[in-house]
Amino acid sequence: MVKTPVRAALALAVLSGALWASPAAAAGGDRTTPAATWTHRAEVTYDALQQHLYQGPRAHGLYLEKTPLKEGENPHSYLWPLREAAAATVDMSELPGVGSRYDRDAAERFSTLRLYFDPRDGRPGYDSYLPAPLGQGGDVFYDDNAVVGLSFLDQYRATGEKAYLRRARETYEIVSRGWDEDPAKPCPGGMHWVDSPGNTMRAANVTGLAAQLAAELHAIDHDAASLASAKRWYAWNWSCLRRSPGLYENSRDDDGTVNTTLWSYNSGAMIGTATTLYRATGDRSYLDRAVEDAQGSLAYWKEGDRLHDQPAIFNAFYFDNLRILDEVRPDPAYRSTAATYAERTWRENRTASDGLFRFQPSGGGDHAPEAQAETLEQSAMVQIFAGLASDRS
């Protein structure tokens, strides 16, 4: 996902959690919250992630899945939480004024990500869990691999180092295997969720995220094949899982059964992909679709506690993609929605004693003070705060 680095000054961050916003900002989460406040929150949230969930260089730069670690749990996190820690660290490296402090951390995250890569006898991919010798391995989930590819592109844009672009291209090739070629299935096409003969689900998340990866690759290297993939994959979600503007149902099984669950990150991936396709092709129909989906999704997700109840990591994806659209077609509602969510979550879900965010088992909802804190959701909050610090549109 396209990041917008902006550099500005930051006052000293402290783990005490003192709020730097005015009462009006704390209540409303709008532009009255200074950029330094968001930067402060990103910094202390990242510090808590590193203090309580990061396992250090001696543990290969890996993270815990949750803290405190309980008997019988894996000693390290799955791939997805590590990817989100990597994405959060890239965001930290782009923070106004202080980003260079995190450049070394960001480079380490991507070395650690590679520990999950498994050649797999000609079907390579990033395993859901560490392969031997560090772990027992796992399956290649195509949605996980798509977001890993997006993070490589973020790091490439942040550093200009071609190795990250090559890794993103490699990951695109992995994800491309997931496209279903069987014309006899209901609504033919779509991306498999997991690289397994037993897979029966073609999902909105992997199809939308893979389309976004392909579109962003094309925007950088102008490869015709990745543009064609982005268009085809985007079109399948639009045609086969779109319930209404901005709302995409979870998945379609091979027998035609549709899982109608809605997630905010599926809204976001389609908004970001359409915006990137517009930038790449000049076709205004993609921009019109992105705006329509943004407006429709906001109308839905802002109602009641819907955003509050979504997993924080899904909202991080959603807000990031709204920022992509905002760069092309500004709308203050995009930022204000993210800020309002961020204010409430800082106020209600953060445990002041350790700086960790705790949610319901879903990863969202009300504060669960006795719950284990997770790398996934702590990283999500770093991303959300850092995005608000870097975006002053």
Side-chain angles (χ1 to χ4, degrees):
M1 300 166 193
V2 177
K3 307 289 184 182
T4 309
V6 181
R7 306 285 182 177
L10 168 71
L12 188 62
V14 290
L15 277 169
S16 63
L19 298 181
W20 293 359
S22 67
D30 61 16
R31 294 175 190 274
T32 61
T33 303
T37 300
W38 296 122
T39 306
H40 163 71
R41 292 174 182 175
E43 288 252 281
V44 299
T45 303
Y46 180 83
D47 288 347
L49 173 71
Q50 295 302 98
Q51 180 179 349
H52 297 287
L53 288 151
Y54 174 63
Q55 295 181 279
R58 291 186 178 181
H60 310 283
L62 292 161
Y63 283 78
L64 294 170
E65 181 84 4
K66 303 175 183 180
T67 190
L69 183 68
K70 294 184 177 180
E71 185 177 354
E73 293 180 337
N74 286 328
H76 310 294
S77 81
Y78 286 97
L79 171 64
W80 187 23
L82 177 61
R83 182 272 174 183
E84 298 312 329
T89 311
V90 175
D91 287 349
M92 295 300 294
S93 76
E94 297 180 343
L95 275 173
V98 300
S100 61
R101 299 177 191 173
Y102 303 96
D103 290 345
R104 183 176 297 180
D105 285 10
E108 183 193 78
R109 294 299 100 82
F110 288 91
S111 296
T112 305
L113 267 176
R114 195 64 179 176
L115 298 175
Y116 289 77
F117 185 81
D118 188 344
R120 302 181 72 88
D121 299 323
R123 292 183 71 82
Y126 288 84
D127 280 8
S128 56
Y129 193 70
L130 289 154
L134 295 175
Q136 69 272 21
D139 292 314
V140 173
F141 286 87
Y142 289 124
D143 54 341
D144 286 357
N145 278 255
V147 294
V148 166
L150 287 166
S151 277
F152 278 125
L153 287 182
D154 285 342
Q155 181 71 344
Y156 167 69
R157 283 186 290 259
T159 66
E161 294 183 20
K162 293 289 188 179
Y164 296 118
L165 181 58
R166 290 194 294 272
R167 293 290 191 221
R169 170 61 61 182
E170 174 189 57
T171 310
Y172 161 76
E173 299 295 341
I174 293 166
V175 172
S176 297
R177 301 198 310 258
W179 180 252
D180 193 301
E181 299 283 1
D182 186 349
K185 291 180 181 177
C187 216
M191 303 290 290
H192 292 185
W193 181 46
V194 60
D195 187 9
S196 168
N199 180 82
T200 61
M201 182 174 71
R202 296 162 289 155
N205 63 349
V206 58
T207 308
L209 293 164
Q212 188 166 19
L213 174 61
E216 292 193 12
L217 273 169
H218 172 76
I220 292 170
D221 61 19
H222 310 293
D223 178 70
S226 56
L227 177 61
S229 295
K231 289 181 174 181
R232 181 168 63 251
W233 300 344
Y234 173 87
W236 187 83
N237 261 7
W238 180 276
S239 300
C240 294
L241 289 175
R242 191 173 189 256
R243 178 188 298 181
S244 63
L247 301 180
Y248 292 82
E249 294 172 325
N250 182 75
S251 57
R252 181 179 287 270
D253 288 348
D254 290 348
D255 64 3
T257 303
V258 176
N259 180 334
T260 60
T261 307
L262 301 173
W263 301 109
S264 56
Y265 76 149
N266 288 334
S267 300
M270 291 295 281
I271 293 166
T273 302
T275 305
T276 304
L277 284 170
Y278 164 69
R279 283 175 149 170
T281 65
D283 184 342
R284 290 192 63 86
S285 68
Y286 285 116
L287 179 58
D288 292 341
R289 287 183 175 195
V291 171
E292 182 182 29
D293 272 359
Q295 293 174 345
S297 64
L298 283 173
Y300 178 84
W301 291 117
K302 287 171 65 177
E303 186 173 330
D305 278 343
R306 283 174 174 163
L307 263 183
H308 173 71
D309 290 340
Q310 284 285 291
I313 190 57
F314 290 1
N315 290 337
F317 277 77
Y318 182 51
F319 300 144
D320 194 44
N321 281 287
L322 288 175
R323 282 193 295 277
I324 293 174
L325 177 57
D326 197 53
E327 293 172 5
V328 178
R329 181 66 65 81
D331 186 331
Y334 305 153
R335 177 182 175 81
S336 66
T337 300
T340 298
Y341 172 85
E343 288 283 7
R344 178 179 178 181
T345 308
W346 172 269
R347 191 171 60 247
E348 297 182 5
N349 289 87
R350 181 175 181 271
T351 305
S353 61
D354 58 15
L356 296 172
F357 288 79
R358 292 175 170 85
F359 299 89
Q360 298 299 311
S362 65
D366 294 340
H367 189 221
E370 302 305 317
Q372 293 170 283
E374 302 190 30
T375 292
L376 187 66
E377 307 304 346
Q378 190 76 12
S379 300
M381 296 312 302
V382 174
Q383 293 174 39
I384 291 169
F385 296 140
L388 287 162
S390 299
D391 170 25
R392 301 307 294 175
S393 60

